[in-house]
Amino acid sequence: MPKFYLTTAIDYSNGEPHLGHALEKIGADCIARYRRLRGDDVHFVMGMDEHSQSVIQAAARAGVPPQAWVDRMAATFADYWRRLHCSHDDWIRTTEPRHAGAVAALLERIRQRHPADLFEAEYEGLYCTGCEEFKTGAQIVDGHCVEHPTLELIPTKERNHFFRLSAYRDAVLDRIRSGALRVQPEIRRNEVLRLLEAGLQDISISRQRQPWGIPFPGDLQQTVYVWFDALINYLSATGFPEPGYDRLWPADLHIVGKGITRFHCVIWPAMLLAAELPAPRAVWAHGYVQWSGTKMSKTAGTPVTLGEAIDRHGADALRYFLLREVGFENDGDFTWERFDARYTSELADTFGNLVSRSLAMLHRYRSGTVPRDPATHAPPPIETAARAAVAGYARAMDALALEQGAAQWMELAAHANRYIEETAPWKLAQRGQDAELDTVLANLARTVARLAVLAAPFIPRAAATVWGLFGERAPLETIRLDDLESLSAERLQVAKPPVLFPKPERTPRGAQKLVT
RNA sequence: GGCGGCGUAGCUCAGGUGGUUAGAGCAGCGGAAUCAUAAUCCGCGGGUCGUCGGUUCGAGUCCGACCGCCGCUACCA
């Protein structure tokens, strides 16, 4: 059983999680569940990034000590991920001792293997006394800090520890070009390659005047710069430097937002190479969730809270909508209108109703017992369609094309609805064509069971419910994709179908916000 | 400024290496059916393929210019 070590970016502890955070976690969870379906020994890690200045500020605004603040945030995030049925195996926080230990160990390892890669130098920058940090780029407008336009930025020199990033340009470039480190999707790979081709500068990896952080080994006047600190979480979670960490390391896939690809595709691999540790095998950089075509930035305020989105139609529905319509590759739009449309048309009317009518007929015509299929000859069209859908689903999911995987699932459900219309079981029953009816009902039951398996990575709760309706079988978690071809529901006693995805009678709340 | 991407039916999008009447899903309209969450199934709807030129027997599909969005451009996670 091959191991599959999967991570998401750890979330910054300075505010509530929103739909953007959720997309990343749900996408990663979908992949984790799919890999388990594939038979991989999955280790899925999420967590919190809890150091740095903004955390201190957020804590101060809330009037609590930093540790109390990050504890509160971690609990909040973890609760949302639980509500969204995330199936992570571990939850790491950068304020944990195991992480501080790993950071110190990694730095020590670099110092031992490549002493020249860590050195001290002067860092020069514009320092804002309001923020207590250096400002660059877009943070400076008209020569002033955007947060404190009335204060003067002070040119300041600071003695810092540096990492010789420049020494690893060629090695990182080679790994990405050769595919040893896969950067996906293609557009992100190209961006990273161009960045590398342009050359790298060494980076400072420590900060003075920054009490909320991991002490820099050998220089207690300074703390480890938050990015250098944060990236190491992926290694900390393996148990590094304790023996056995290499059972998990290297990571098979880091899921990150497109805004932080260079940290994961350039700096992180270079850090590992300097420590003579293997680089991750793949990085997937997803796009962002937009609200009616505009950015959902923290500063602009969130037009929709994560809680509202979950409450709308339930966690499964939100998961499905984010992965199917918003998508895990490009930026995508979230609107109540689109959410409701997908929910109604696909989850309720196509899949939910298919389950309803199939099981209802099983009860009406066969007392709830799936009959044996007496047919001995050519498989019905639905069987051919099911195999094609499973193959297409696997192809898409292997390539992390989650939208297409969901589309394959939906296509099979639609096909099953057509199969019912074409065979018209109610007519077969009327005419007393029992053998034909048995064939149709057995095939329908089998298709519904297969759909439950394929749906599990996207809508785990509903999938388990449907699977459970068949009773007397192995838990859904033990089923593998390879089992689908021979999967049969014959002789099983099925329960009465519940309404999986109820449809609100009237215009649900929040719809009016669409107009503004 | 530099590099790159996008702009196809009301909406979300497919459309390797140019070639008969430009496709799908959703929404909308008409019909059928009645097992089912008034769900399903069938049919229909004609969009200057961002704009203007060019190459070609022929371009959504290649070239150039332009317009409009967007991403990256290294220490904000």
Side-chain angles (χ1 to χ4, degrees), chain A residues 104-172:
Chain A
L106 186 73
L107 279 167
E108 184 53 33
R109 187 163 161 138
I110 293 172
R111 186 172 282 149
Q112 279 174 5
R113 314 242 171 167
H114 298 278
D117 288 348
L118 295 176
F119 60 96
E120 286 187 61
E122 291 288 332
Y123 178 84
E124 281 192 66
L126 294 170
Y127 196 83
C128 172
T129 53
C131 298
E132 293 286 337
E133 66 183 358
F134 288 99
K135 295 291 170 181
T136 55
Q139 294 176 305
I140 302 174
V141 174
D142 296 332
H144 295 277
C145 165
V146 290
E147 307 278 343
H148 302 89
T150 57
L151 297 176
E152 291 299 318
L153 285 166
I154 302 167
T156 309
K157 283 185 184 178
E158 183 173 299
R159 188 146 193 91
N160 288 142
H161 296 272
F162 276 71
F163 171 58
R164 204 174 299 283
L165 181 65
S166 57
Y168 293 92
R169 187 195 87 130
D170 292 347
V172 174

Side-chain angles (χ1 to χ4, degrees), chain A residues 31 51 266 379 403 454:
Chain A
I31 293 166
H51 289 129
V266 177
E403 298 170 70
L454 296 180

Side-chain angles (χ1 to χ4, degrees), chain A residues 360-428:
Chain A
M361 287 190 284
L362 237 16
H363 275 277
R364 181 183 285 251
Y365 303 129
R366 292 293 180 266
S367 308
T369 304
V370 181
R372 290 198 56 202
D373 178 6
T376 51
H377 297 300
I382 186 71
E383 185 61 24
T384 313
R387 295 190 185 187
V390 172
Y393 174 91
R395 217 171 16 253
M397 298 298 282
D398 283 344
L400 306 181
L402 307 184
E403 298 170 70
Q404 291 173 42
Q408 288 290 324
W409 172 74
M410 193 30 49
E411 177 52 39
L412 180 56
H415 200 106
N417 276 318
R418 289 196 293 274
Y419 177 68
I420 294 175
E421 296 301 323
E422 285 159 13
T423 57
W426 48 92
K427 287 184 182 169
L428 297 176

Side-chain angles (χ1 to χ4, degrees), chain A residues 169-214:
Chain A
R169 187 195 87 130
D170 292 347
V172 174
L173 198 51
D174 284 349
R175 271 173 177 71
I176 295 175
R177 279 181 174 153
S178 73
L181 167 54
R182 293 197 316 283
V183 178
Q184 296 171 292
E186 196 68 16
I187 182 172
R188 302 304 155 206
R189 180 173 187 267
N190 291 337
E191 282 176 5
V192 172
L193 285 174
R194 261 176 263 121
L195 181 74
L196 284 162
E197 284 157 4
L200 299 174
Q201 281 178 19
D202 297 333
I203 54 171
S204 79
I205 59 168
S206 72
R207 289 289 184 277
Q208 293 183 7
R209 309 181 186 84
Q210 183 58 266
W212 188 243
I214 294 173

Side-chain angles (χ1 to χ4, degrees), chain A residues 268-351:
Chain A
W268 178 227
M271 288 163 62
L272 290 160
L273 292 172
E276 296 183 10
L277 289 166
R281 298 211 167 93
V283 175
W284 176 273
H286 65 258
Y288 294 148
V289 182
Q290 303 195 325
W291 172 258
S292 298
T294 58
K295 283 185 185 175
M296 276 213 291
S297 69
K298 299 165 191 167
T299 49
T302 43
V304 50
T305 68
L306 187 48
E308 283 175 333
I310 295 171
D311 291 342
R312 181 77 155 197
H313 303 295
D316 276 350
L318 178 60
R319 291 174 59 107
Y320 185 75
F321 179 70
L322 286 176
L323 297 178
R324 174 83 213 265
E325 171 133 346
V326 175
F328 209 46
E329 179 165 343
N330 302 118
D331 291 357
D333 219 20
F334 185 102
T335 67
W336 290 125
E337 195 176 33
R338 297 296 305 167
F339 187 16
D340 294 347
R342 283 282 185 192
Y343 175 78
T344 302
S345 149
E346 301 193 353
L347 291 180
D349 293 349
T350 301
F351 178 64

